[in-house]
Amino acid sequence: MATQMFEGRGHAAIYQKYRFAPGKELQQTILSYLREKKAIPAELAVDVGCGSGQGTHFLGEHFKKVVGTDISEAQIQEAKATPCMPNISYLVCPAEELPFPAGSVDVLTSFTAAHWFQLERFAREAQRVLRPGGCVAISTYTLDMSLRHGQCSQQLTRVFRECWDEILKYSNDKVKYVLDDYKAIFEALPFPDKKRITDIYDPIPMTVEGVVGYMESTSSYQTFKKNDPTAATSLLQETEKRMLETMGVSSRETPVEFLVRHVCVLGCKGC
């Protein structure tokens, strides 16, 4: 089974509110590859580990039918409660046991989730459900984010990273796959035609509240909060205060740019 880290209703609600959709550069990287491999237009795309559906919505614009799957019932409930295109639906199931016939899926995606899967079993399942010539696009954003705002970007990033470093002390061991730029996930895929891109940069428009909310939504922070709720809550409150002071503003709704680096593993099943 995949590692289950996002099960609680409260955590799923925070996740839905603060997690961001795939940025434009990542979207274009995936779509360019799928066009190159003639994998679009296509009938069915399956988004594995879809969480509350941020990546699934992007797929809805490019495929006739899109199914988001996740092992967490709470996450799927959040996804279903969010307005989406009529060609999108959701299922609760493990990444390693997808309820699709062999050779029935055109494109299989996973956005910032594959590091939680049992890699070998998921790779075999991807091989099974994909049609000949079908493609996978598996991505994550990395942990080396930075913030941009006016003339104080460097100071603002320092404040963010001091908080982020404290939170990452509570990371699950599976985060090692992210730190390794998904090299192990790339190697686990059984397709001879595959590549890994590690330098996709996307500026994500956010607010101060959104950046703090993103940190709150992470599995590492939730573990920290279970261990020491007072310290965890205090850390985010103090960080928000320091961010506002650094920017010389008072509103949590003040816009900032959240610069993230994506890693993307792309592969095509042979015909």
Side-chain angles (χ1 to χ4, degrees):
M1 285 287 189
T3 305
Q4 294 176 250
M5 297 294 293
F6 304 92
E7 289 296 288
R9 290 298 304 276
H11 189 188
I14 293 167
Y15 195 97
Q16 194 284 323
K17 183 175 181 180
Y18 291 114
R19 285 300 176 106
F20 44 88
K24 290 180 182 177
E25 286 299 317
L26 176 61
Q27 291 184 25
Q28 287 307 312
T29 299
I30 293 170
L31 292 174
S32 294
Y33 181 81
L34 297 181
R35 291 187 188 108
E36 176 193 331
K37 300 300 178 182
K38 297 181 171 51
I40 49 177
E43 292 290 329
L44 175 61
V46 175
D47 185 26
V48 186
C50 68
S52 46
Q54 283 82 349
T56 321
H57 289 198
F58 148 61
L59 298 173
E61 302 170 16
H62 301 281
F63 297 92
K64 289 185 180 178
K65 182 180 180 183
V66 178
V67 181
T69 74
D70 202 281
I71 198 169
S72 167
E73 188 170 339
Q75 289 279 7
I76 291 296
Q77 287 175 355
E78 288 290 340
K80 288 180 174 179
T82 305
C84 66
M85 297 173 68
N87 58 329
I88 295 175
S89 60
Y90 295 98
L91 291 172
V92 177
C93 68
E96 304 83 1
E97 298 172 23
L98 299 172
F100 301 98
S104 66
V105 176
D106 296 290
V107 174
L108 198 70
T109 66
S110 183
F111 298 99
T112 317
H115 45 283
W116 301 117
F117 305 162
Q118 281 193 0
L119 294 187
E120 292 76 14
R121 289 185 61 204
F122 169 68
R124 286 198 300 270
E125 192 68 337
Q127 172 84 326
R128 183 187 69 82
V129 301
L130 278 175
R131 66 164 173 80
C135 291
V136 294
I138 301 170
S139 68
T140 186
Y141 43 82
T142 59
L143 303 180
D144 49 349
M145 299 97 159
S146 59
L147 294 175
R148 290 176 176 171
H149 181 83
Q151 302 302 309
C152 63
S153 300
Q154 192 172 351
Q155 302 96 304
L156 198 58
T157 296
R158 187 182 308 120
V159 171
F160 164 75
R161 287 194 175 165
E162 285 174 4
C163 176
W164 194 221
D165 287 345
E166 286 300 309
I167 291 170
L168 292 178
K169 291 176 182 177
Y170 295 87
S171 293
N172 185 278
D173 183 57
K174 292 288 188 85
V175 173
K176 68 186 179 186
Y177 296 119
V178 179
L179 296 173
D180 196 30
D181 283 350
Y182 269 19
K183 184 179 179 184
I185 290 168
F186 171 78
E187 290 173 348
L189 283 181
F191 309 129
D193 183 351
K194 60 183 178 179
K195 63 181 178 177
R196 181 173 63 110
I197 305 169
T198 61
D199 57 352
I200 305 162
Y201 289 90
D202 264 310
I204 308 293
M206 293 180 80
T207 62
V208 172
E209 179 195 3
V211 172
V212 174
Y214 164 74
M215 290 191 283
E216 185 183 4
S217 78
T218 63
S219 60
S220 304
Y221 179 81
Q222 294 297 315
T223 301
F224 181 14
K225 192 174 178 181
K226 285 177 185 173
N227 278 268
D228 192 340
T230 303
T233 301
S234 175
L235 177 65
L236 287 191
Q237 290 174 343
E238 180 62 24
T239 298
E240 182 176 296
K241 180 183 174 187
R242 289 178 65 201
M243 287 175 66
L244 294 174
E245 288 173 352
T246 300
M247 296 164 69
V249 299
S250 58
S251 173
R252 307 175 74 222
E253 301 305 315
T254 302
V256 296
E257 204 171 66
F258 199 48
L259 185 66
V260 300
R261 178 171 69 91
H262 296 283
V263 171
C264 191
V265 173
L266 299 159
C268 183
K269 181 179 176 179
C271 295

